[in-house]
Amino acid sequence: MVVLWLVGIVGILFISVAALPYFTLSEARFGDYRPRRWWLLAHISTGIVALLTGPVQLWLGLSDRRMAVHRRVGVAYMAAVAISAVAGYYLAFNTDGGWVFGFGLAGLATAWVITTSLAFVAIKRQLFEQHKEWMIRSYVVTTGFVSFRALTILLAAMQVGTAQEQIAAASWFCWAVPLVLTEAVLQGRKILTVP
């Protein structure tokens, strides 16, 4: 639960600092994304919904509380992921950041769709533990763009590579590394608890 609180706080900070400024509709804010601003705003808006509903969803599900609310929040989360992923694909395949960056973002959207879909299939089949694990993975991917922003700031501060290399590397690392670490924790717990 402490981790959920921390992730929620970081998510709110990210939304305040990095996402909400786009809603001023300032041309300067959009930069190269100006021609694709409505796709970007759709992606940001629904991404915010997923980022904010995720911790609530996980808390309710992991603690087995208020399951009717959990289901309704889950539907909102899945709808937000679906819309944000579609917009994410459009942005990934119509980027000025280069093909490596674009494919990294497409990989992020794909991981988001797959993890969320498998969570849905698991719950429909009443596979509760698998549902919980896939939702954890899904939310890890949801936080990918928070990680992306942190990585790009870190790489720029360390003066590692060019700006294009920084965003390309971050577009892959932001979801692949956290997802692998999450998988190590989820599966590692099972391996270490087996008699």
Side-chain angles (χ1 to χ4, degrees), residues 3-58:
V3 172
L4 285 177
W5 276 102
L6 289 173
V7 170
I9 290 167
V10 169
I12 290 169
L13 288 171
F14 173 80
I15 291 165
S16 300
V17 172
L20 290 180
Y22 283 97
F23 293 96
T24 63
L25 302 179
S26 161
E27 287 189 28
R29 169 57 72 179
F30 288 105
D32 292 341
Y33 284 95
R34 186 172 175 353
R36 298 174 290 278
R37 66 187 173 278
W38 300 114
W39 286 97
L40 183 61
L41 286 172
H43 178 66
I44 292 170
S45 299
T46 51
I48 287 171
V49 171
L51 199 58
L52 293 176
T53 58
V56 174
Q57 179 69 351
L58 286 170

Side-chain angles (χ1 to χ4, degrees), residues 14 140 143-153 170 173-175 178:
F14 173 80
V140 165
T143 62
F145 223 82
V146 176
S147 301
F148 173 84
R149 185 60 66 111
L151 283 167
T152 55
I153 291 169
F173 282 29
C174 73
W175 63 271

Side-chain angles (χ1 to χ4, degrees), residues 13 41 65 86 99 134 142 168 184 191:
L13 288 171
L41 286 172
R65 296 179 189 206
V86 168
W99 72 271
W134 282 109
T142 298
I191 292 168

Side-chain angles (χ1 to χ4, degrees), residues 52-85:
L52 293 176
T53 58
V56 174
Q57 179 69 351
L58 286 170
W59 177 70
L60 291 172
L62 293 173
S63 63
D64 292 323
R65 296 179 189 206
R66 307 203 51 193
M67 295 315 285
V69 174
H70 175 73
R71 282 189 280 286
R72 285 193 291 273
V73 173
V75 169
Y77 177 84
M78 285 190 317
V81 168
I83 295 167
S84 195

